[in-house]
Amino acid sequence: MKLPATSMHLSLRAFSITSKRRVDMINSALKPEVVLSESNRKACIERFKSMRVPKSHNAAEAAVLVPLCLYKGELGLLYTLRSMRLTTNRGQVSFPGGMRDENDVNLQETALRETWEELKIPREKIDVWTTGNLIGKVDVNVMPVLAYIGEVEPEKMEINHDEVEEVFVVSLQKLCDPELIRFTTFRHQVATLPSYLGGKYRVWGFTAGITHMALESLVPDVYEFKFFTLKSMQKSSTIKSNSFDNNATHSKI
């Protein structure tokens, strides 16, 4: 049934008002004072620690820092682009981190040490919120360490170019924008993970999986993207993707 012109006009106006309210709600929920509030921090820690992903048995251990930061007045996550000088996974997006050293007291120490070695961010500037559960990645178990590192200027950071090519920030607003999210299905790891297109470089693979966990913990009322977890996927010999490519490889460690 064709709506009269007046009814159509009213429907469009109602839709416009609803959309504006939605945008206002998102902008309000992503304000630094809201995300960084003590109540949200406590809720975030509980959610992050409750997330469990299968881990590998008798595997080496590693850790990555998931750095929540403030950049140009907006909260976002800090990422690194692996140096082209590296022999493995060079030029891929990752979080600062690496393999556990025998001198590291624990995996949180590993994440902090690696962050200093890669980006020269001092430990006193890193406000660790919590550690997550180990995540199995082929022959290594990785612990994500969620932390707030304050205000940053990526272009002025002291980078170890032997390990890091570049540093960049993707705002929470862009990470939560459904128009800027795709997915990649991995054949061998049997998982479907998001792919984030809102930053200078595409965030995908293992790093995207940890990003998803961080967003679900930090801003669950805004971040609505869902994907199949490792436990819910069935083995498959095919790869389906609406991201940029199907050649899924490791993104860190």
Side-chain angles (χ1 to χ4, degrees):
M1 180 178 69
K2 187 175 181 180
L3 290 173
T6 52
S7 297
M8 186 177 298
H9 176 73
L10 289 172
S11 297
L12 290 173
R13 184 170 179 274
F15 176 77
S16 177
I17 293 173
T18 301
S19 298
K20 185 178 183 304
R21 286 175 179 169
R22 170 67 177 164
V23 170
D24 291 342
M25 184 276 289
I26 291 174
N27 290 338
S28 177
L30 293 179
K31 287 182 177 179
E33 59 266 29
V34 175
V35 178
L36 300 176
S37 68
E38 189 60 30
S39 60
N40 190 63
R41 174 175 172 147
K42 288 181 179 178
C44 171
I45 290 172
E46 289 183 10
R47 287 188 287 262
F48 198 71
K49 292 183 75 68
S50 70
M51 292 183 177
R52 296 185 179 277
V53 177
K55 60 182 180 180
S56 304
H57 295 289
N58 301 318
E61 294 184 336
V64 295
L65 191 76
V66 186
L68 177 65
C69 62
L70 189 65
Y71 177 53
K72 294 183 177 180
E74 287 188 84
L75 286 174
L77 295 180
L78 181 76
Y79 296 92
T80 66
L81 192 69
R82 285 173 63 86
S83 174
M84 296 304 292
R85 301 177 187 179
L86 297 172
T87 56
T88 59
N89 305 322
R90 57 186 180 182
Q92 293 190 13
V93 171
S94 65
F95 286 120
M99 302 301 297
R100 181 173 185 172
D101 188 270
E102 61 180 10
N103 295 320
D104 294 336
V105 176
N106 52 39
L107 286 171
Q108 177 176 310
E109 174 75 10
T110 300
L112 296 177
R113 174 183 56 76
E114 287 282 348
T115 300
W116 169 254
E117 291 176 3
E118 293 181 16
L119 306 176
K120 290 297 183 288
I121 299 177
R123 299 176 185 220
E124 55 268 24
K125 188 181 177 182
I126 303 175
D127 177 17
V128 175
W129 283 22
T130 188
T131 58
N133 293 299
L134 290 171
I135 304 170
K137 184 175 186 282
V138 189
D139 57 352
V140 63
N141 288 319
V142 183
M143 175 178 284
V145 179
L146 182 62
Y148 178 60
I149 61 173
E151 190 168 3
V152 299
E153 294 182 79
E155 59 278 2
K156 294 183 180 180
M157 294 183 73
E158 187 179 348
I159 298 172
N160 177 0
H161 287 287
D162 288 333
E163 297 190 49
V164 176
E165 194 76 19
E166 193 174 343
V167 182
F168 66 100
V169 175
V170 186
S171 69
L172 294 185
Q173 187 173 46
K174 288 185 176 179
L175 288 170
C176 292
D177 187 345
E179 296 296 320
L180 298 174
I181 301 175
R182 301 292 186 270
F183 70 88
T184 300
T185 298
F186 293 69
R187 178 195 301 157
H188 300 297
Q189 287 87 357
V190 194
T192 298
L193 299 174
S195 180
Y196 304 93
L197 312 181
K200 185 174 183 180
Y201 301 99
R202 178 170 60 111
V203 179
W204 68 297
F206 188 76
T207 301
I210 296 179
T211 297
H212 170 86
M213 296 169 64
L215 294 173
E216 277 206 324
S217 302
L218 275 170
V219 286
D221 294 335
V222 176
Y223 182 68
E224 298 180 344
F225 185 80
K226 304 298 178 185
F227 70 101
F228 293 108
T229 65
L230 286 167
K231 288 183 178 180
S232 64
M233 290 291 293
Q234 298 297 317
K235 288 187 177 181
S236 171
S237 61
T238 62
I239 292 180
K240 296 180 180 179
S241 174
N242 68 347
S243 62
F244 289 142
D245 62 62
N246 295 335
N247 185 21
T249 55
H250 313 316
S251 59
K252 182 61 178 174
I253 308 304

